[in-house]
Amino acid sequence: YNKSLDQRKEIENAFKNNLFFCHLEDKYIRMLSGITTVKSFKKGETIIKEGEKAMGLYIVIEGIVKIYKISKDGKEHIIHIFGEGEIFAEVSLAENQTYPAWAEALTDVKIGFIPRDLILANLRKDPTLALAMIGVCILRLKNLVLSIENIKMKNARERTLFFLWEMTEKGKKSEVTFSITQNQLSLLLGITPETFSRIIKKLKEENIILKTSGNRKFILAIDKLKESLKR
């Protein structure tokens, strides 16, 4: 697979935007770029099917990807939303695995595909790369534990408040922008869209949400948000 210079730059930038790979020396970024194939998907297209043999992992170069499961009654449950620089389908690193969920393009997306055998060969050769990948897996596990804790131990309002607090980077900024719609956000939080809308309306009345721009940008009262989390 011959990549153009522009494609190599796109892939390298995606890895540089990743929390764990951004600190690596350029030689590692170039190596990862060399084994990554660029694929494009239109909004709504399926990237991964649940149950398919896991042949490799993916990194988002451009756009937004949702990971979801479908319950027996046909309902969709969003597990995670991934943006630029984020890696998914790392389950493929284990032997004889299938993809445990579906992946779909929420927008037009460009993603990098890294074949399992190639990434494993490089991980075996260099502990620096292996440690970066372990970091990705640990973060994913931590996020899953937090998601389960939120759904099982917090009510809908508490889940929303906790999510907003995380979006402010624990109070470091008052303005947050969402890359997905409020309907998709409600599904990610395990809340019905109607309940989520009522919660947002109530938070506006309480002046926790001070201002909205469209339905994807909120300006929050950090002190009030922090105080509401303590109740």
Side-chain angles (χ1 to χ4, degrees), residues 195-208:
T195 299
F196 186 70
S197 292
R198 287 195 293 271
I199 292 168
I200 295 300
K201 183 180 178 182
K202 184 68 174 172
L203 294 180
K204 288 178 181 177
E205 291 170 357
E206 296 172 11
N207 289 319
I208 293 173

Side-chain angles (χ1 to χ4, degrees), residues 111-126:
I111 59 175
F113 172 72
I114 312 159
R116 176 181 182 276
D117 56 343
L118 295 182
I119 187 67
L120 282 178
N122 283 281
L123 292 178
R124 290 187 185 108
K125 284 191 296 186
D126 199 308

